[in-house]
Amino acid sequence: MKKLIYLLLGIMLFSRASQAQDSFDPDQLLVEARELIFDGRYFEGRKIAFRALDKYPDYADILILVGRSYAWEGKNDSSSIYLERAIVASPTYGDGYSAYLDNLMWAGEYEQAQEIVARAAGNFGTLPQPLKYKESRLLYFQEDYDAAYEIADELFEAGFENEDLLSYMSNLQRLRSTNALGFTYDYDTFYGDISEWHTASIYGRTRTRLTGALIARVTQSWRFEDTGTLYELDAYPTLWKNSYAYVNIGGSSASFFPKFRAGLSIYQNLPKAWELELGYRYLGFTEVTNIYTSSIGKYTGNWWINLRVNVIPSTSSVGVSGNLQARYYFKTAEDFFSIQASTGVSPDEESRDPSQLLNSYRLRLGYQQLVTPRFMIFGFTGYSRDELSEDRFRNNLNLSVGAEYRF
């Protein structure tokens, strides 16, 4: 009898010891697993996560962590298993849908991703803003750029906070298949030093799969008691992921326009809403001017800030000019106020011969507004002080207005 009692007591003590050894805080295990997985130690992190899931199989945050870890390794099918469990366990928890959509978009499973969006909409009634943003990204991957932009524009107007939103919308604007016709008019006065300049441009924009946005522009100018016409063509082809190019060619027989001009820039969208550009411009005035240009831009909140540096080599020296520009966006991503301060002449300005200027300093203000979905207006004004020689300066006031109709 005593042996039986001792045996029962031993079994009870062993059982309690086993339970004590398996007792844990799942939140603490989540923290430990997350640290390992975020450090790239996926197997070790999942081992801890699985221990928690054995006892808490519906812990959504742990299921999401495991699912994301598989997605980051490119194991999309395994990821989907755990992310499906997460949204079943917590059908109104947005993080699960967000992770599931990321995994499916990375895997190119766009139809299944659409089904997940529909399930989320059914469970939430109205999609939360982060999931609306994911829906826009899904449409972007499906190359439905107009629909993707419409959702992103609604989010921007509603004040959705995402550091990549403006950068993303700028990229969508470039990719949208909107056709347009527009015009600009520029008036320049030099306060009696020389006669006034009048310049008018008309342009048409379309999009092709090869060239991206394609813009044809004709510019007519009246200056120095003469007239001249400049013809230009711009293209913005997509190169690779998050990268595109700007290509420009043009020419004129007028003495105050370049006989031939060409330009090429490569743009790369970087993480955290940064953008880098490297480019070259050829301006064939009386003398050929080669310009090497680079810029770095950043979207932050409602602001876009861009710094450009231009290097102009010559036989006797190397000239350097710069441009600092900022835009503040209002109701939509096409309504903005801009301010620009610069030295030297912009490499994309067709109206001035850089070889004739020693130094130039300019301040420029502008405003653009999309009045209706089809009609946009814009206006700019700038003041510059140009050094023509060591003892001669010219002051210039520029006024520019324009409009664009989309169809």
Side-chain angles (χ1 to χ4, degrees):
M1 186 65 178
K2 288 183 179 179
K3 290 183 179 180
L4 180 60
I5 293 173
Y6 290 147
L7 179 61
L8 291 173
L9 288 172
I11 292 173
M12 291 173 61
L13 290 172
F14 179 78
S15 176
R16 289 181 180 179
S18 299
Q19 290 177 0
Q21 289 178 357
D22 198 39
S23 177
F24 56 80
D25 179 358
D27 296 333
Q28 181 59 38
L29 291 187
L30 172 62
V31 171
E32 294 174 11
R34 181 185 289 122
E35 288 179 353
L36 290 169
I37 287 173
F38 283 9
D39 193 40
R41 299 159 67 183
Y42 300 118
F43 179 80
E44 297 172 60
R46 283 196 294 263
K47 188 175 181 180
I48 294 175
F50 290 150
R51 180 185 168 202
L53 288 175
D54 283 341
K55 194 168 184 179
Y56 300 92
D58 294 332
Y59 197 141
D61 281 322
I62 296 179
L63 291 167
I64 293 168
L65 179 64
V66 172
R68 282 204 177 275
S69 74
Y70 279 123
W72 293 333
E73 284 189 296
K75 300 176 181 178
N76 302 102
D77 290 340
S78 297
S79 174
S80 291
I81 292 172
Y82 287 91
L83 295 174
E84 175 67 28
R85 285 176 57 182
I87 65 173
V88 169
S90 299
T92 56
Y93 187 32
D95 286 1
Y97 295 98
S98 181
Y100 207 167
L101 289 171
D102 282 342
N103 177 59
L104 294 173
M105 287 189 284
W106 294 339
E109 299 288 345
Y110 301 136
E111 291 185 5
Q112 190 177 348
Q114 285 181 316
E115 295 174 4
I116 298 303
V117 170
R119 285 172 63 183
N123 288 326
F124 283 100
T126 300
L127 282 178
Q129 288 183 338
L131 293 183
K132 289 290 290 182
Y133 181 64
K134 296 288 185 181
E135 182 184 18
S136 175
R137 299 291 301 196
L138 174 59
L139 291 166
Y140 165 80
F141 285 120
Q142 294 175 301
E143 299 186 3
D144 190 349
Y145 302 124
D146 287 332
Y149 184 87
E150 183 177 347
I151 293 174
D153 196 43
E154 291 175 0
L155 289 170
F156 181 80
E157 187 174 350
F160 175 55
E161 294 185 4
N162 182 295
E163 66 177 352
D164 294 321
L165 182 58
L166 268 175
S167 176
Y168 169 61
M169 294 177 72
S170 176
N171 192 42
L172 283 174
Q173 286 175 338
R174 180 179 59 84
L175 293 169
R176 293 170 70 194
S177 57
T178 305
N179 300 312
L181 291 174
F183 82 91
T184 63
Y185 168 74
D186 283 78
Y187 169 80
D188 288 272
T189 179
F190 299 91
Y191 300 96
D193 186 77
I194 58 174
S195 61
E196 300 165 343
W197 293 356
H198 300 271
T199 305
S201 296
I202 58 172
Y203 64 88
R205 184 180 71 243
T206 188
R207 183 177 181 274
T208 71
R209 189 172 288 272
L210 176 63
T211 64
L214 184 65
I215 303 170
R217 182 185 301 104
V218 179
T219 301
Q220 182 78 20
S221 188
W222 295 264
R223 62 183 75 169
F224 305 118
E225 299 181 354
D226 196 4
T227 61
T229 306
L230 174 68
Y231 302 91
E232 291 180 277
L233 193 64
D234 298 337
Y236 293 84
T238 298
L239 299 180
W240 51 81
K241 184 179 179 181
N242 298 323
S243 180
Y244 66 96
Y246 160 74
V247 181
N248 165 266
I249 58 171
S252 173
S253 60
S255 61
F256 47 78
F257 282 136
K259 292 180 175 60
F260 177 75
R261 63 171 292 142
L264 172 66
S265 280
I266 307 297
Y267 292 86
Q268 180 68 48
N269 293 318
L270 304 173
K272 304 296 183 180
W274 288 90
E275 183 179 70
L276 180 66
E277 175 209 359
L278 294 173
Y280 167 76
R281 305 290 187 269
Y282 174 97
L283 301 178
F285 285 97
T286 305
E287 298 179 5
V288 172
T289 301
N290 297 291
I291 303 177
Y292 301 91
T293 184
S294 178
S295 71
I296 186 166
K298 167 68 173 175
Y299 291 90
T300 176
N302 282 40
W303 287 93
W304 174 72
I305 301 171
N306 181 268
L307 176 63
R308 175 182 295 278
V309 176
N310 311 303
V311 178
I312 309 172
S314 67
T315 55
S316 59
S317 63
V318 175
V320 179
S321 65
N323 179 294
L324 179 63
Q325 183 178 177
R327 290 179 183 173
Y328 182 82
Y329 292 87
F330 294 101
K331 186 177 179 180
T332 76
E334 294 187 82
D335 303 331
F336 61 80
F337 165 79
S338 68
I339 183 169
Q340 173 184 336
S342 60
T343 64
V345 177
S346 166
D348 297 317
E349 185 177 3
E350 72 281 340
S351 62
R352 301 185 186 229
D353 182 350
S355 65
Q356 297 177 357
L357 298 175
L358 298 181
N359 289 293
S360 176
Y361 301 92
R362 173 180 297 183
L363 180 65
R364 189 170 173 84
L365 305 175
Y367 181 77
Q368 175 178 297
Q369 182 172 343
L370 192 64
V371 181
T372 73
R374 294 185 179 273
F375 186 66
M376 183 176 70
I377 59 173
F378 47 88
F380 299 88
T381 183
Y383 175 83
S384 66
R385 180 172 174 82
D386 302 331
E387 183 181 359
L388 305 179
S389 63
E390 292 184 359
D391 57 355
R392 186 185 173 198
F393 296 86
R394 177 184 292 163
N395 299 306
N396 167 224
L397 175 66
N398 168 264
L399 300 173
S400 178
V401 295
E404 179 180 284
Y405 178 75
R406 302 172 178 184
F407 57 93

